[in-house]
C-alpha cells in the first residue's frame, strides 16, 4: 500500500459561543489505514470529525482532499466519499433495511422504484462483509450492532473512501465488537480508510494502525499504535500520570447512611436492586448503556415511579416521591446530561448556583447581594472561571458549568450526592478538580457520594466500592483488590474477556 | 286487514303534513348585536303564527358556513316548502340555495346575496342610503360648513359602500371637511380610543359620524370624559335600542338615526308564507311577491322614535 | 440594584434599555409629524389606552417565560367583564356591591387560570390547545348569555372606577404602572419568579433542581387570570358595558406582541416585565400615531406590522 494522503486538515480551530473547543489541530489520513482518534469525553473528537465530514464549519483552518483545498458541507463531503456514522445512528426505524441503505439515492425503473435491484444490491454488500441481515426486515427490529452494520453498508453503497465512526462500540457486546472489527479489517483491505473514535483503549489498541490523541481540544500525539502501551495512551489522554489524576482514596466510616432494599421500578428498568452506602464513601455504579444505572438513581430521587422496595436513610425508612422530598432529606442528584438536565443555560451563573436553595435567600424578597456573595464563595472554592456572576451559563466551558451545577447541589446543604457521569464533557483539569472537590466535601461536610460512570479509569480511580449493573439488575459488588477493568467488564457484559479481541 | 290499517295510518300522516306549509329559516347565530337582533326578530315573526295551525317553522342558526350548509341540507331532507335564508357567506352557500330553488322550494335570500339569479325572492337593506342620509343630515345640520370626523367599521365592501355614499352626500358642500377617517372596528372600546385621540388632536370638531350605534356609544363616552359633549352633531346608525331611546328622550347631540333593520327577516318570513298561500301585495297591480326588494333606509327622529323602540329586543 | 458595575454588566443593561430608545424614537418621530402627539393630554391617553392590553401582556409574560402561551385572554376579558357587570346589576348600586362584584371577577379569573394550568400540566394538553379551547368557550358563553348583544350597567359607582382621575392621572394608567411594579418585583425578586425562569428555560433541569414544575406553570396561568380580571374590571367599568361580540377581540395577539417586542421568547425562559411594559407602550404609541397621522385605513395593518418587526429586529441586531 502506498502512502497516499487523501484527507488532511491544517490549523483547525473551532469556537462554540466564544469558548474554543479545538486549538490549531493538524491531521492527515492515508488510504487504506485504520486510524484511532482517542481522547477523554470533551476532548474535541466528535467536533473534529463533524468538521471533517462537513457538518460543522471550522472557525479557522483549511481542509484538503488529495491535496486540493476544499470547502465542505455534508453533501459535498459525501461526494468526496467522506462518510460519518454518528454516535446516534441516522437510520429511519420505520423503514426496511434496503430502504435505509438507498435512502435519498433510490434506484428507479422509469417512474417507479426498482425494489428488487435495491434488495439484491443490499444483499451483495452484506455478503461482501459476511453479514447475515435480511434486507427486507424493518430497522426497528434490529439490534444496536446490526444497526451499526446497516450504517456501514449504507456507507459502502455510496462508495465510501473515508468512513468515520464515532464511538461505534458504545452499545455493543464484546462479541458484536469483534464482529465489527472484522468488518473494519475487511474494509481496510479493500482500500477504505477507517477513522475509529473511541475512548476505550483496548479496542483502539487492537484495531487501529495509527493514533491521534486529543486532549482539551489540542492534538497531543500522533503516531503508530504499536509504539504506545495502553497506560502511555491513557496518560497522554489525561495529560498526567494516572496516579496524579485521582486523589488517594479515603476510607469511609462504618456507619450506614443510605440503604436501598429490593427496589423495582414500575417500568421494569430496574429490578430488585439492593445496595447500601456508608458515610463518607464514594460508591460507584458501572454498567453498559441501558443497564439501568441512571434509572435506579432517578427512582431514588423520585423522578421515576417505584413499584416496590424501600429506601432507608440512617436506618429509618423514608418516602421519596419527588426531587423535593429527596432534597428535604438531603439527597441531591447531578444528572448525566448536563445541558438538558443539569445547568440552565440561559440563566445567569449565580442564579444557577442558588436556584435550588432560594429559600435561604428570601423571606419574601430575594437578597440578590447574598446570592452573589454565595456564588463568589463557590467561585473561589471550586475555582469556577467566570468573568462576572451575571454572565449566562451557556458562555462557560463544560468544566465550569459542571462546577456550577455542583455548587447548586452543595448549597442545598445536602449530605448525599448522587453524581451521574460527573465528568462527562469536562476537560482533564476540571475533572481532576471535581475529584478534589468531592474529597474536600467528604472531609469538610461529611458528604457521601454515589457515582455513576461509564469511564472505567475514573470509576476505578475514585470509588471505594463499585456496583455493577446489567439489564436492570445489580450483578456484582466489587471492592478493594477486586477492582479491575477486566472484572468490571466481565460483570457488566456477562462475558469472559479475552478471546473476543482475537485478530 | 292489517295492511289496510297501515295504509290508512300512513295516508293520514301524509295528508296531515301535506296540508301544512313548512318554512325553514336559516340564519347565522347571534355573534354580534345586529345578528342577535335578527335571531330575535325571526323568533318574533314565527311567534306571530303560533295560532295558525297550517304553518310550521324550523329555525336554525349557524356559527359558520359549513354548519349552515349542513343545516339547509337537513331541512331539505326533512321536507320544506319555503327556505328563508340569510347566507353566512355568499360563495359557499350559493350551490345549496340554488339546489333548493331547483327542487321547487320557495327560496328567499335575505340581505347577503348569493352568486346566482336562481332564487325566488331577494330582500336586503340599503347600504348606500344608510351612508348618504347620514351625510345629508350632517351637512344640513351644520349648514354646509364645518369639520367632520368619520369613524367607520371594519374595512370591508359594505363599509366601503356606506362611507363612499356618505362622502357623496358631503361633497355637495365645499365647506364641509372630513378631517379624519379612522376605523373603529364596530367596537365601543376602539371607537372610544380613536375619539379620545382625535379630541386631543383637533380643537374643533363639528360632527362625528360612526358606522354604527355601538361605536357612537364609545364616542359619547370619550366626549363626556373630555368634557366636550356639547355643540356637536353626532350620528350613528342601525337603530340600536338604547340609541333609539336616547333620541326618544331628546338627547341634545343625537337627533337622528337610520335603519338597517334586522327585522327584514320577519318581512322575509311573511313574504314566504304569503307566496305559498298565493297572496298578493296590497297596492301592486302584479300578482305574487316581487323578486327583488331593497328596503328603504328609514329616518328615525324624536317624533317617530317610539315606533322603532323595541325594549325586549336584544338589539 | 446591581453591586458590581463592570463593562460586561453595563453592556447587558444597555441591550435591555434599547427598547426604551425605540419608544422614545417613535415618539419623537410622531411628534415631528403631528405636534398634537406630544401634548401631555395625549401622552396620558396613550398610557390609558395601553393599560388594558398592557396589564394582560404582563400576565402573559409570566406564562410565556414559563414556556406556555395563553390565547384565551381576549375572550376571558369579555367573560369576566360580563360577570362584573351582571353582578353589579344584581347587587345594586352601592360600594359594597361594586366591591363584591370585583371580588367575584377576580375569583373567576383565578379559577379559570388555575383550571387552564391544571389541564396543561396534569392533563398534558399543550397550552396552545387548552387556551385555544378556552378562547372559543369563553366567547361562546358570553355571546350565548347576551344573544350577541351588550351587557350594560347604569351603576354610577361602578362606572366611576374606570373613568376616575387621581392626581390628574387616569386610574387605569395608575393601575397599569402599579401593576407593572408589583409584577416586576414578583418576577425578579421572589423565589416564584426565579422558578418561572428556570421552568421555562429548562424544564428537566428545573425538575431535578427540586422545583415544583407543574405548580409553577399552573401559577403563571393564575397570574394571567388575575391580570385579565384587572383589565376586565377597568375596561367594563369605563365603558359601563361589555359587548359580547367585540370586547377583548384580538387582545391575545396584542398582548403576545407586546411581550415579544419587549424581548420575551416564544419558547420560554426569557423575558421581563420591564420589556413587556415598554413593548405594550410601543404598541399603544403605534395605535395612537396611526390615528394622529390619519394613516389610510387599509394601510394601518402594514404600518403596524412593519414597526413591530423593526422593533424586534433592532433589539436582535444589538445583541449580536
Amino acid at each position: 500500500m502506498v502512502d497516499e494522503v487523501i484527507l488532511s486538515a491544517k490549523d483547525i480551530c473551532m469556537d462554540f459561543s466564544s469558548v474554543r473547543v479545538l486549538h490549531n489541530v493538524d491531521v492527515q489520513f492515508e488510504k487504506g489505514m485504520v486510524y484511532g482518534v482517542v481522547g477523554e469525553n470533551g476532548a474535541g473528537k466528535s467536533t473534529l470529525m463533524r468538521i471533517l465530514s462537513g457538518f460543522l464549519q471550522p472557525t479557522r483552518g483549511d481542509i484538503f482532499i488529495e491535496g486540493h483545498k476544499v470547502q465542505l458541507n455534508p453533501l459535498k463531503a459525501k461526494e468526496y466519499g467522506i462518510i460519518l456514522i454518528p454516535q446516534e445512528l441516522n437510520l429511519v426505524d420505520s423503514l426496511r433495511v434496503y430502504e435505509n441503505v438507498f435512502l435519498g439515492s433510490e434506484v428507479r425503473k422509469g417512474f417507479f422504484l426498482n425494489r428488487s435491484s435495491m434488495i439484491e444490491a443490499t444483499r451483495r454488500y452484506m455478503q461482501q462483509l459476511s453479514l447475515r441481515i435480511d434486507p427486507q426486515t424493518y430497522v426497528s427490529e434490529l439490534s444496536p450492532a446490526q444497526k451499526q452494520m446497516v450504517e456501514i453498508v449504507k456507507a459502502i453503497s455510496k462508495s465510501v473512501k473515508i468512513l468515520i465512526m464515532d464511538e461505534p462500540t458504545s452499545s455493543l457486546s464484546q462479541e458484536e465488537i469483534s464482529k465489527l472489527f472484522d468488518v473494519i479489517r475487511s474494509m481496510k483491505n479493500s482500500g477504505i480508510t477507517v477513522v475509529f473514535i473511541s475512548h476505550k483503549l483496548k479496542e483502539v489498541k487492537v484495531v487501529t494502525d495509527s493514533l491521534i490523541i486529543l486532549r482539551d481540544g489540542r492534538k497531543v500525539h500522533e503516531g503508530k499504535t504499536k509504539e504506545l502501551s495502553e497506560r502511555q495512551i491513557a496518560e497522554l489522554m489525561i495529560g498526567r500520570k494516572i496516579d496524579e489524576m485521582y486523589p488517594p482514596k479515603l476510607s469511609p466510616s462504618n456507619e450506614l447512611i443510605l440503604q436501598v432494599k429490593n427496589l423495582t421500578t414500575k417500568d421494569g428498568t430496574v429490578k430488585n436492586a439492593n445496595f447500601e452506602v456508608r458515610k463518607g464513601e464514594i460508591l460507584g455504579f458501572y454498567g453498559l448503556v441501558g443497564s439501568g444505572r441512571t434509572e435506579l438513581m432517578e427512582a431514588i430521587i423520585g423522578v421515576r415511579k417505584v413499584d416496590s422496595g424501600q429506601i432507608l436513610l440512617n436506618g429509618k425508612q423514608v418516602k421519596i416521591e419527588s426531587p423535593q422530598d429527596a432534597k428535604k432529606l438531603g439527597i441531591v442528584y447531578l444528572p448525566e446530561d448536563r445541558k438538558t438536565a443539569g445547568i440552565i443555560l440561559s440563566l445567569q451563573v449565580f442564579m444557577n448556583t442558588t436556584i435550588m436553595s432560594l429559600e435561604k435567600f428570601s423571606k419574601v424578597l430575594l437578597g440578590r447581594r447574598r446570592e452573589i456573595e454565595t456564588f463568589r464563595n463557590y467561585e473561589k472554592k471550586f475555582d469556577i472561571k467566570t468573568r462576572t456572576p451575571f454572565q449566562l451559563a451557556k458562555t462557560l466551558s463544560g468544566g465550569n458549568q459542571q462546577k456550577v451545577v455542583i455548587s447548586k447541589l452543595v448549597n442545598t446543604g445536602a449530605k448525599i450526592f448522587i453524581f451521574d457521569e460527573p465528568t462527562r464533557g469536562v476537560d482533564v483539569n476540571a475533572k481532576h478538580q471535581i475529584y478534589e472537590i468531592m474529597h474536600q466535601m467528604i472531609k469538610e461536610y461529611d458528604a457521601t457520594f454515589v457515582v455513576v460512570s461509564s469511564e472505567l479509569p475514573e470509576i476505578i480511580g475514585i470509588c471505594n466500592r463499585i456496583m455493577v449493573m446489567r439489564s436492570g439488575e445489580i450483578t456484582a459488588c466489587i471492592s478493594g483488590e477486586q477492582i479491575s477493568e477486566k472484572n468490571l467488564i466481565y460483570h457488566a457484559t456477562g462475558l469472559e474477556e479475552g478471546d473476543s479481541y482475537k485478530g | 286487514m292489517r295492511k289496510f290499517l297501515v295504509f290508512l295510518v300512513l295516508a293520514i300522516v301524509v295528508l296531515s303534513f301535506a296540508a301544512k306549509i313548512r318554512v325553514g329559516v336559516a340564519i347565522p347565530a347571534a355573534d354580534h348585536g345586529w345578528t342577535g337582533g335578527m335571531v330575535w326578530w325571526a323568533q318574533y315573526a314565527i311567534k306571530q303564527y303560533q295560532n295558525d295551525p297550517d304553518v310550521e317553522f324550523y329555525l336554525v342558526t349557524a356559527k359558520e358556513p359549513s354548519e349552515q350548509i349542513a343545516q339547509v341540507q337537513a331541512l331539505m331532507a326533512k321536507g320544506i316548502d319555503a327556505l328563508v335564508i340569510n347566507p353566512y357567506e355568499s360563495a359557499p352557500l350559493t350551490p345549496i340555495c340554488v339546489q333548493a330553488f331547483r327542487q321547487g322550494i320557495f327560496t328567499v335570500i335575505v340581505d347577503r346575496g348569493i352568486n346566482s339569479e336562481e332564487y325566488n325572492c331577494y330582500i336586503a337593506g340599503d347600504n348606500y342610503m344608510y351612508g348618504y342620509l347620514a351625510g345629508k343630515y350632517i351637512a344640513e345640520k351644520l349648514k354646509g360648513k364645518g369639520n367632520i370626523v368619520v369613524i367607520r367599521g371594519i374595512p370591508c365592501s359594505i363599509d366601503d359602500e356606506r362611507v363612499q355614499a356618505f362622502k357623496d352626500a358631503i361633497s355637495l358642500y365645499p365647506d364641509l371637511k372630513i378631517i379624519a377617517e379612522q376605523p373603529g372596528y364596530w367596537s365601543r372600546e376602539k371607537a372610544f380610543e380613536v375619539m379620545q385621540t382625535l379630541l386631543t388632536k383637533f380643537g374643533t370638531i363639528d360632527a362625528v359620524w360612526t358606522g354604527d350605534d355601538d361605536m357612537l356609544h364609545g364616542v359619547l363616552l370619550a366626549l363626556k370624559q373630555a368634557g366636550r359633549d356639547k355643540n356637536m352633531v353626532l350620528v350613528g346608525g342601525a337603530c340600536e335600542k338604547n340609541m333609539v331611546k336616547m333620541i326618544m328622550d331628546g338627547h341634545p347631540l343625537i337627533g337622528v338615526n337610520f335603519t338597517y333593520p334586522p327585522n327584514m327577516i320577519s318581512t322575509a318570513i311573511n313574504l314566504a308564507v304569503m307566496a305559498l298561500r298565493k297572496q298578493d301585495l296590497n297596492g301592486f297591480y302584479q300578482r305574487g311577491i316581487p323578486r327583488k326588494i331593497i328596503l328603504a333606509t328609514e329616518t328615525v327622529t324624536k317624533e317617530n322614535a317610539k315606533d322603532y323602540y323595541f325594549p325586549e329586543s336584544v338589539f | 440594584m446591581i453591586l458590581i458595575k463592570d463593562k460586561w454588566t453595563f453592556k447587558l443593561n444597555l441591550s435591555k434599555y434599547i427598547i426604551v430608545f425605540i419608544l422614545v424614537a417613535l415618539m419623537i418621530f410622531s411628534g415631528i409629524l403631528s405636534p398634537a402627539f406630544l401634548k401631555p393630554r395625549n401622552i396620558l391617553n396613550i398610557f390609558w389606552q395601553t393599560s388594558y392590553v398592557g396589564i394582560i401582556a404582563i400576565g402573559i409574560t409570566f406564562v410565556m417565560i414559563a414556556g406556555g402561551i395563553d390565547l384565551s385572554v381576549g375572550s376571558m376579558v369579555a367573560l369576566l367583564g360580563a360577570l362584573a357587570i351582571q353582578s353589579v346589576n344584581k347587587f345594586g348600586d352601592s360600594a359594597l356591591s361594586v366591591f363584591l362584584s370585583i371580588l367575584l371577577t377576580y375569583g373567576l379569573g383565578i379559577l379559570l387560570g388555575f383550571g387552564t394550568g391544571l389541564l396543561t400540566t396534569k392533563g398534558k394538553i399543550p397550552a396552545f390547545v387548552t387556551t385555544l379551547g378556552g378562547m372559543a368557550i369563553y366567547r361562546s358563553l358570553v355571546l350565548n348569555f347576551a344573544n350577541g348583544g351588550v351587557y350594560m350597567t347604569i351603576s354610577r359607582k361602578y362606572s366611576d372606577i374606570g373613568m376616575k382621575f387621581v392626581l390628574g392621572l387616569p386610574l387605569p394608567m395608575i393601575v397599569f404602572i402599579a401593576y407593572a411594579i408589583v409584577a416586576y418585583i414578583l418576577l425578579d425578586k421572589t423565589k416564584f419568579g426565579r422558578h418561572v425562569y428556570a421552568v421555562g428555560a429548562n424544564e428537566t433541569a428545573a425538575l431535578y433542581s427540586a422545583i415544583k414544575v407543574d405548580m409553577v406553570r399552573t401559577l403563571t396561568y393564575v397570574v394571567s387570570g388575575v391580570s385579565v380580571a384587572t383589565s376586565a374590571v377597568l375596561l367594563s367599568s369605563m365603558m359601563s358595558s361589555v359587548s359580547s361580540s367585540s370586547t377583548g377581540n384580538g387582545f391575545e395577539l396584542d398582548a403576545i406582541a407586546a411581550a415579544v417586542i419587549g424581548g420575551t421568547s416564544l419558547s420560554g425562559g426569557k423575558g421581563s416585565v420591564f420589556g413587556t411594559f415598554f413593548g405594550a407602550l410601543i404598541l399603544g404609541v403605534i395605535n395612537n400615531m396611526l390615528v394622529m397621522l390619519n394613516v389610510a385605513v387599509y394601510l394601518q395593518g402594514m404600518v403596524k406590522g412593519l414597526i413591530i418587526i423593526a422593533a424586534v429586529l433592532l433589539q436582535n441586531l444589538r445583541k449580536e
Side-chain angles (χ1 to χ4, degrees):
Chain A
M1 218 146 288
V2 246
D3 286 2
E4 192 184 326
V5 175
I6 52 171
L7 172 67
S8 62
K10 287 220 162 55
D11 201 28
I12 299 288
C13 292
M14 186 72 202
D15 296 346
F16 283 131
S17 38
S18 75
V19 176
R20 181 147 290 191
V21 296
L22 283 180
H23 302 263
N24 316 81
V25 174
D26 294 330
V27 285
Q28 53 178 27
F29 300 101
E30 288 165 16
K31 192 177 174 192
M33 299 276 279
V34 180
Y35 289 87
V37 177
V38 297
E40 301 241 85
N41 284 323
K45 294 169 297 191
S46 296
T47 307
L48 179 61
M49 294 307 130
R50 286 168 66 77
I51 288 172
L52 291 179
S53 51
F55 287 93
L56 286 176
Q57 297 306 318
T59 311
R60 214 173 79 194
D62 300 314
I63 296 169
F64 302 86
I65 287 178
E66 286 160 358
H68 304 288
K69 191 172 151 181
V70 290
Q71 279 284 339
L72 284 182
N73 60 44
L75 276 180
K76 266 233 181 89
K78 221 168 248 179
E79 279 171 33
Y80 290 124
I82 306 170
I83 292 179
L84 170 73
I85 302 180
Q87 217 170 339
E88 307 295 331
L89 301 181
N90 261 339
L91 297 175
V92 184
D93 269 354
S94 55
L95 292 183
R96 293 168 200 273
V97 168
Y98 78 90
E99 287 169 328
N100 265 289
V101 169
F102 285 94
L103 195 66
S105 52
E106 286 84 356
V107 180
R108 278 162 214 261
K109 195 161 64 183
F111 182 71
F112 298 102
L113 294 178
N114 191 343
R115 259 169 233 289
S116 56
S117 86
M118 287 194 284
I119 294 172
E120 196 38 54
T122 306
R123 189 165 287 137
R124 260 202 323 279
Y125 294 129
M126 291 282 178
Q127 274 161 8
Q128 205 176 317
L129 299 173
S130 47
L131 294 169
R132 279 195 215 107
I133 301 172
D134 181 359
Q136 301 215 55
T137 37
Y138 284 99
V139 165
S140 55
E141 292 164 17
L142 301 180
S143 71
Q146 288 174 313
K147 286 184 189 174
Q148 189 76 247
M149 298 304 168
V150 173
E151 280 279 15
I152 294 173
V153 168
K154 192 170 151 189
I156 290 175
S157 80
K158 305 222 157 66
S159 51
V160 62
K161 284 187 191 143
I162 299 183
L163 181 64
I164 305 171
M165 304 167 86
D166 195 352
E167 307 259 7
T169 62
S170 56
S171 51
L172 303 190
S173 71
Q174 297 299 79
E175 215 166 335
E176 291 166 334
I177 290 172
S178 63
K179 178 84 205 159
L180 174 70
F181 287 177
D182 288 341
V183 170
I184 289 177
R185 281 186 202 103
S186 74
M187 282 194 286
K188 170 189 157 108
N189 291 337
S190 50
I192 297 170
T193 304
V194 177
V195 182
F196 181 82
I197 302 170
S198 181
H199 59 268
K200 295 189 185 163
L201 305 186
K202 269 201 172 50
E203 297 171 359
V204 171
K205 204 60 184 131
V206 171
V207 80
T208 67
D209 305 312
S210 231
L211 263 187
I212 294 161
I213 303 179
L214 295 178
R215 187 203 318 142
D216 296 347
R218 292 189 172 78
K219 189 180 77 181
V220 293
H221 179 84
E222 190 171 18
K224 293 266 173 276
T225 306
K226 55 180 179 249
E227 288 163 7
L228 293 173
S229 73
E230 258 180 62
R231 193 181 172 89
Q232 282 170 311
I233 300 173
E235 288 182 349
L236 278 166
M237 274 165 63
I238 61 177
R240 62 180 86 202
K241 294 278 178 243
I242 296 222
D243 312 331
E244 290 169 2
M245 183 68 187
Y246 306 105
K249 293 186 186 176
L250 304 170
S251 42
S253 74
N254 281 326
E255 201 181 323
L256 289 181
I257 181 160
L258 180 72
Q259 290 162 275
V260 172
K261 293 188 171 163
N262 303 318
L263 191 133
T264 300
T265 56
K266 276 228 165 74
D267 53 12
T269 46
V270 177
K271 289 166 231 152
N272 208 27
N274 279 291
F275 72 93
E276 53 204 33
V277 195
R278 296 186 173 78
K279 203 172 188 179
E281 188 176 28
I282 299 180
L283 176 70
F285 270 83
Y286 180 74
L288 299 180
V289 173
S291 61
R293 306 165 303 182
T294 296
E295 290 77 3
L296 172 58
M297 302 308 147
E298 286 175 349
I300 293 172
I301 59 142
V303 291
R304 193 170 282 271
K305 290 235 161 67
V306 171
D307 183 53
S308 59
Q310 296 177 326
I311 297 170
L312 279 74
L313 189 66
N314 295 316
K316 272 192 291 259
Q317 187 175 342
V318 291
K319 208 168 145 192
I320 302 176
E321 280 172 342
S322 66
Q324 292 97 53
D325 293 344
K327 183 182 126 186
K328 269 184 214 130
L329 296 167
I331 305 172
V332 290
Y333 177 65
L334 179 132
E336 70 175 318
D337 191 338
R338 183 179 57 248
K339 286 204 171 115
T340 62
I343 198 141
I344 300 172
L345 292 169
S346 61
L347 227 50
Q348 299 170 5
V349 281
F350 84 92
M351 292 186 182
N352 267 291
T353 291
T354 58
I355 190 74
M356 204 167 172
S357 48
L358 285 175
E359 59 279 358
K360 291 190 178 166
F361 302 95
S362 72
K363 290 232 161 54
V364 180
L365 300 186
L366 292 173
R368 185 180 286 244
R369 189 178 304 225
R370 273 179 41 228
E371 282 186 77
I372 290 165
E373 272 167 30
T374 303
F375 171 75
R376 291 271 191 221
N377 242 335
Y378 287 110
E379 191 179 25
K380 243 183 267 141
K381 206 163 181 170
F382 293 174
D383 190 28
I384 303 172
K385 293 198 179 66
T386 60
R387 276 168 297 195
T388 130
F390 306 103
Q391 80 186 90
L392 300 183
K394 67 174 156 211
T395 59
L396 295 186
S397 72
N400 284 311
Q401 285 180 358
Q402 194 71 319
K403 289 183 205 165
V404 171
V405 178
I406 294 173
S407 76
K408 168 181 85 174
L409 302 179
V410 172
N411 203 48
T412 62
K415 293 287 181 205
I416 300 176
F417 296 85
I418 302 175
F419 277 15
D420 201 342
E421 304 285 4
T423 61
R424 178 172 285 180
V426 161
D427 62 76
V428 172
N429 204 24
K431 246 179 200 184
H432 179 70
Q433 286 177 324
I434 288 173
Y435 305 140
E436 295 285 359
I437 288 170
M438 291 166 70
H439 274 230
Q440 188 187 354
M441 280 158 59
I442 293 173
K443 288 180 204 151
E444 289 175 19
Y445 302 108
D446 281 337
T448 302
F449 287 89
V450 176
V451 174
V452 175
S453 176
S454 47
E455 295 223 22
L456 284 168
E458 168 175 291
I459 205 153
I460 293 169
I462 63 171
C463 295
N464 298 107
R465 288 184 302 141
I466 299 166
M467 316 296 292
V468 185
M469 291 189 75
R470 187 170 80 230
S471 344
E473 291 178 64
I474 295 179
T475 52
C477 171
I478 302 171
S479 60
E481 295 297 303
Q482 296 296 307
I483 297 180
S484 71
E485 265 194 38
K486 189 176 144 183
N487 228 341
L488 288 173
I489 290 173
Y490 167 68
H491 287 289
T493 59
L495 293 168
E496 197 69 57
E497 188 208 23
D499 56 354
S500 50
Y501 283 141
K502 244 181 346 217
Chain B
M1 181 66 191
R2 213 165 124 197
K3 268 189 189 163
F4 176 73
L5 268 181
V6 172
F7 175 77
L8 199 69
V9 169
L10 274 177
I12 292 170
V13 169
V14 170
L15 281 176
S16 66
F17 268 107
K20 266 192 176 179
I21 296 173
R22 288 166 304 169
V23 181
V25 181
I27 51 181
D31 63 359
H32 62 267
W34 195 83
T35 46
M38 185 175 262
V39 174
W40 190 87
W41 277 109
Q43 289 162 338
Y44 178 86
I46 290 168
K47 209 182 290 163
Q48 305 312 308
Y49 286 94
Q50 64 189 0
N51 295 322
D52 192 337
D54 299 335
V55 204
E56 199 166 5
F57 292 95
Y58 311 112
L59 173 63
V60 289
T61 61
K63 288 198 171 57
E64 51 177 9
S66 61
E67 191 185 358
Q68 195 174 44
I69 293 171
Q71 286 172 342
V72 175
Q73 278 166 340
L75 286 175
M76 285 163 65
K78 194 183 268 182
I80 47 172
D81 306 304
L83 172 67
V84 177
I85 180 168
N86 174 211
Y88 206 107
E89 265 176 42
S90 298
L93 268 304
T94 298
I96 189 79
C97 290
V98 169
Q99 197 189 338
F101 172 77
R102 287 184 186 165
Q103 282 184 14
I105 295 170
F106 190 85
T107 307
V108 184
I109 310 290
V110 181
D111 203 36
R112 186 176 284 106
I114 57 172
N115 304 337
S116 165
E117 285 297 320
E118 293 182 67
Y119 53 79
N120 297 86
C121 178
Y122 171 69
I123 176 168
D126 185 358
N127 283 312
Y128 190 85
M129 274 303 151
Y130 182 92
Y132 187 90
L133 290 178
K136 183 160 179 279
Y137 174 82
I138 287 175
E140 284 165 1
K141 198 82 179 162
L142 294 181
K143 304 200 172 63
K145 193 170 178 325
N147 295 333
I148 304 169
V149 162
V150 173
I151 300 181
R152 49 186 295 183
I154 294 170
C156 63
S157 62
I158 294 175
D159 197 52
D160 278 348
E161 192 182 346
R162 292 174 178 178
V163 172
Q164 194 48 52
F166 182 86
K167 287 179 182 166
D168 288 350
I170 295 293
S171 65
L172 303 174
Y173 304 85
D175 292 336
L176 283 177
K177 236 173 79 195
I178 295 179
I179 51 173
E181 180 195 333
Q182 287 294 313
Y185 301 95
W186 285 318
S187 143
R188 266 179 211 224
E189 293 87 358
K190 191 68 199 167
F192 173 83
E193 281 179 20
V194 169
M195 197 61 212
Q196 216 180 21
T197 306
L198 292 175
L199 283 171
T200 6
K201 185 174 176 187
F202 299 110
T204 41
I205 297 172
D206 301 307
V208 181
W209 177 57
T210 61
D212 75 355
D213 287 339
D214 246 353
M215 293 195 287
L216 193 56
H217 279 294
V219 166
L220 264 180
L221 215 54
L223 291 175
K224 206 157 72 187
Q225 191 273 316
R228 284 172 64 177
D229 49 348
K230 44 187 114 35
N231 304 327
M232 213 180 272
V233 180
L234 303 180
V235 180
C239 295
E240 186 264 334
K241 66 176 177 185
N242 293 299
M243 211 42 91
V244 176
K245 181 81 168 43
M246 284 157 84
I247 293 168
M248 205 157 80
D249 296 347
H251 194 279
L253 304 180
I254 307 168
V256 76
N257 208 323
F258 302 99
T259 60
Y260 194 87
N263 60 10
M264 66 176 77
I265 192 73
S266 317
T267 307
I269 288 170
N270 280 356
L271 288 175
V273 174
M274 288 167 78
L276 293 174
R277 289 183 170 161
K278 309 268 182 268
Q279 292 171 342
D280 305 322
L281 281 188
N282 212 355
F284 275 62
Y285 278 77
Q286 294 74 19
R287 295 265 96 118
I289 302 299
R291 214 171 87 81
K292 291 189 185 182
I293 301 170
I294 302 300
L295 296 166
T297 297
E298 296 163 48
T299 306
V300 178
T301 59
K302 188 169 190 282
E303 287 67 40
N304 64 2
K306 63 178 189 311
D307 301 334
Y308 295 87
Y309 182 56
F310 308 99
E312 325 81 65
S313 166
V314 293
F315 185 64
Chain C
M1 181 171 63
I2 287 164
L3 296 173
I4 303 92
K5 294 264 182 217
D6 54 30
K7 238 165 65 188
W8 183 253
T9 40
F10 180 68
K11 239 162 89 183
L12 275 177
N13 288 340
L14 203 67
S15 73
K16 188 173 148 193
Y17 292 125
I18 197 142
I19 187 159
V20 184
F21 300 140
I22 294 173
L23 179 67
V24 171
L26 258 180
M27 291 179 75
I28 292 171
F29 174 76
S30 311
I32 291 168
L33 289 183
S34 168
F37 181 90
L38 291 174
K39 280 185 194 166
R41 180 65 229 219
N42 193 49
I43 303 297
L44 287 190
N45 282 349
I46 291 173
F47 267 97
W48 186 347
Q49 293 162 4
T50 306
S51 60
Y52 313 106
V53 168
I55 289 169
I56 291 174
I58 288 171
I60 246 179
T61 303
F62 280 73
V63 174
M64 287 173 67
I65 293 176
I69 191 90
D70 194 346
L71 299 174
S72 67
V73 290
S75 304
M76 213 200 281
V77 166
L79 183 66
L80 297 185
L83 174 74
I85 282 189
Q86 293 301 79
S87 327
V88 169
N89 285 348
K90 195 156 185 101
F91 300 154
D93 189 7
S94 71
L96 179 69
S97 139
V98 169
F99 176 75
L100 280 179
S101 305
I102 292 176
L103 215 62
L104 259 179
T105 308
Y106 273 94
L108 184 62
I110 290 169
L111 202 72
L112 292 178
F114 200 71
T116 308
L118 282 186
L119 279 174
T120 45
T121 55
K122 301 291 177 201
K124 309 238 182 290
I125 306 170
F128 189 90
V129 178
T130 335
T131 60
L132 194 67
M135 174 178 174
I137 293 167
Y138 304 152
R139 177 67 65 191
S140 149
L141 283 175
V142 179
L143 283 168
N144 183 54
F145 292 137
N147 282 317
V150 177
Y151 299 89
M152 290 186 54
T153 180
I154 46 163
S155 160
R156 302 279 335 157
K157 289 241 160 44
Y158 186 63
S159 27
D160 276 354
I161 301 173
M163 280 289 187
K164 217 186 203 78
F165 273 64
V166 180
L167 306 170
L169 304 173
L171 186 68
M173 168 180 173
I174 295 172
V175 173
F176 178 35
I177 293 172
Y179 199 84
I181 292 171
V182 172
Y184 165 75
I185 292 171
L186 184 62
L187 189 60
D188 237 55
K189 306 276 178 221
T190 71
K191 189 175 150 183
F192 166 69
R194 191 72 59 77
H195 283 180
V196 169
Y197 279 104
V199 166
N202 189 336
E203 188 178 341
T204 324
L207 178 75
Y208 283 123
S209 301
I211 293 170
K212 293 176 183 150
V213 174
D214 288 353
M215 176 69 108
V216 171
R217 278 248 160 88
T218 303
L219 284 179
T220 60
Y221 289 98
V222 173
V223 171
S224 179
V226 168
S227 308
V228 172
T230 310
S231 177
V233 168
L234 290 175
L235 190 60
S236 64
S237 63
M238 179 190 83
M239 303 304 298
S240 311
S241 66
V242 163
S243 152
S244 58
S245 58
S246 69
T247 297
N249 259 351
F251 274 23
E252 59 282 339
L253 290 184
D254 280 348
I256 293 169
V260 171
I261 293 173
T264 304
S265 154
L266 282 167
S267 50
K270 257 181 268 168
S272 67
V273 172
F274 181 88
T276 300
F277 182 80
F278 283 96
L281 281 179
I282 286 177
L283 275 188
V285 166
I286 296 173
N287 282 336
N288 186 277
M289 186 181 93
L290 291 174
V291 178
M292 273 289 171
L293 306 183
N294 204 24
V295 174
V297 173
Y298 283 96
L299 285 178
Q300 296 200 348
M302 188 188 80
V303 175
K304 201 168 161 178
L306 284 178
I307 296 178
I308 291 174
I309 292 172
V312 175
L313 197 67
L314 257 170
Q315 296 184 67
N316 286 352
L317 289 179
R318 185 67 194 77
K319 263 184 230 146
E320 291 300 317

